[in-house]
Amino acid sequence: MIKTSVEPWIEGPLRGFVEEAGVSLALLLHPSGQVLAQHGFSRAIDIMSACALAAAIHVSSAELGRQLEGRPFSGLHHAGTERQVFLAEARTRRGAYIFLTVFDEGSSLGLVRMYFDEFCVKLANAAPPPLDTPEPMLTENFERDLNRNLAALFGRA
Amino acid sequence: MSTPFTPVLDSLTRQRGVRASLVVSADDGITVDSNLQIGQDGARVAALAASLYRKARKSAQAAGLGSTGFMQMEAESGRLCVIGGDEIVLVVVAERTANVGLIRVEMLRAAEALA
């Protein structure tokens, strides 16, 4: 069975967002590219690709925002011919996360932005206190952690 | 800041009982211009009203009723009136006691001016 989130406190806010906004795909990840929660993906490889790309786009657009406006852009939207992508940062006391969602004509940018704001509030309220000794994000542990999270989402843990 | 939509919105908001008027992008549900009273959340109204209107248009087409013109929703303490086309949707939030006939005429005029 495919699970929604690696950590249970994310599940409620993410489920609420997906139901209300009517999006087809949603992904919450750590800025390093580690997946934390997903909706709509059926293959681990797609999540890995989406996480890597989302993390890279987020850091690039943040830097572009800093250079242009002196502060990072708060969100990014790309409209394709049939599907649209929205990428933004969700802040909690556990730290900042990257949120990526894909939607089609069944939803709209206005709805996605509105429900994303609600998602951020719910996520911030649901977030447990920060860990006393957070585990450092080491390059050598990255693949191990990624595989552990994907295994948890796809019922192989 | 004045936009090409400002005179249209001003004229709608002058109607008795009209609390807010908005020009909204039909596909995105994003506010293009608005005339709101203090305390109203224009972004939420715009996103939800545009979504509602889009679905109403699809429902009318699915039922074989053709294109949708004026849409009105009655709520406990007011009305939501929407009229639009493929690109722009005009939204009016009015009190329950407002003259809907008059608002409808003004909105039709405004829609023509925006077309």
Side-chain angles (χ1 to χ4, degrees):
Chain A
M1 193 183 99
I2 301 173
K3 278 171 66 178
T4 307
S5 63
V6 175
E7 297 192 38
W9 58 273
I10 304 171
E11 194 151 336
L14 184 73
R15 201 180 292 275
F17 171 82
V18 168
E19 283 172 9
E20 297 278 16
V23 299
S24 47
L25 299 173
L27 202 55
L28 187 75
L29 56 135
H30 190 270
S32 67
Q34 291 286 359
V35 62
L36 291 169
Q38 69 89 21
H39 165 85
F41 288 87
S42 55
R43 298 190 315 166
I45 185 86
D46 295 335
I47 294 180
M48 282 167 69
S49 309
C51 282
L53 291 168
I57 293 166
H58 178 70
V59 78
S60 308
S61 65
E63 186 53 34
L64 191 62
R66 270 186 216 103
Q67 299 215 2
L68 290 174
E69 292 188 345
R71 60 197 164 105
F73 289 137
S74 56
L76 185 143
H77 168 244
H78 172 75
T81 49
E82 288 176 8
R83 301 207 285 178
Q84 304 182 45
V85 174
F86 176 77
L87 181 80
E89 196 175 83
R91 292 185 171 276
T92 72
R93 51 188 169 168
R94 276 267 170 119
Y97 299 109
I98 301 170
F99 184 72
L100 171 81
T101 189
V102 176
F103 58 98
D104 58 19
E105 61 170 16
S107 188
S108 70
L109 178 61
L111 285 178
V112 166
R113 285 199 335 194
M114 186 184 95
Y115 287 118
F116 173 70
D117 288 344
E118 288 184 7
F119 168 75
C120 287
V121 172
K122 287 179 189 167
L123 194 73
N125 289 338
L131 299 169
D132 290 337
T133 49
E135 196 179 342
M137 193 64 71
L138 301 173
T139 312
E140 54 263 37
N141 295 340
F142 184 86
E143 195 161 344
R144 183 203 67 193
D145 293 345
L146 181 64
N147 287 333
R148 183 197 60 205
N149 289 355
L150 287 169
L153 289 177
F154 286 89
R156 296 195 295 263
Chain B
M1 190 185 74
S2 181
T3 74
F5 303 109
T6 307
V8 169
L9 293 174
D10 286 346
S11 143
L12 282 168
T13 313
R14 271 198 297 272
Q15 297 295 316
R16 200 184 184 95
V18 171
R19 290 185 197 163
S21 57
L22 306 94
V23 175
V24 181
S25 159
D27 283 339
D28 291 340
I30 303 282
T31 308
V32 178
D33 196 1
S34 64
N35 202 327
L36 305 167
Q37 285 183 4
I38 293 166
Q40 285 176 328
D41 190 342
R44 291 179 74 87
V45 173
L48 293 166
S51 168
L52 205 59
Y53 190 69
R54 208 166 52 239
K55 282 173 182 157
R57 289 183 79 180
K58 282 185 181 169
S59 305
Q61 280 164 7
L65 301 174
S67 59
T68 309
F70 182 75
M71 188 187 89
Q72 187 206 152
M73 191 183 79
E74 281 189 30
E76 199 180 326
S77 55
R79 298 169 199 273
L80 189 73
C81 305
V82 188
I83 194 167
D86 291 332
E87 292 181 1
I88 293 287
V89 172
L90 194 58
V91 181
V92 163
V93 180
E95 289 168 9
R96 202 167 165 76
T97 52
N99 184 335
V100 181
L102 217 53
I103 290 171
R104 183 174 180 275
V105 170
E106 269 309 311
M107 287 182 79
L108 286 166
R109 265 195 214 137
E112 267 179 35
L114 294 178

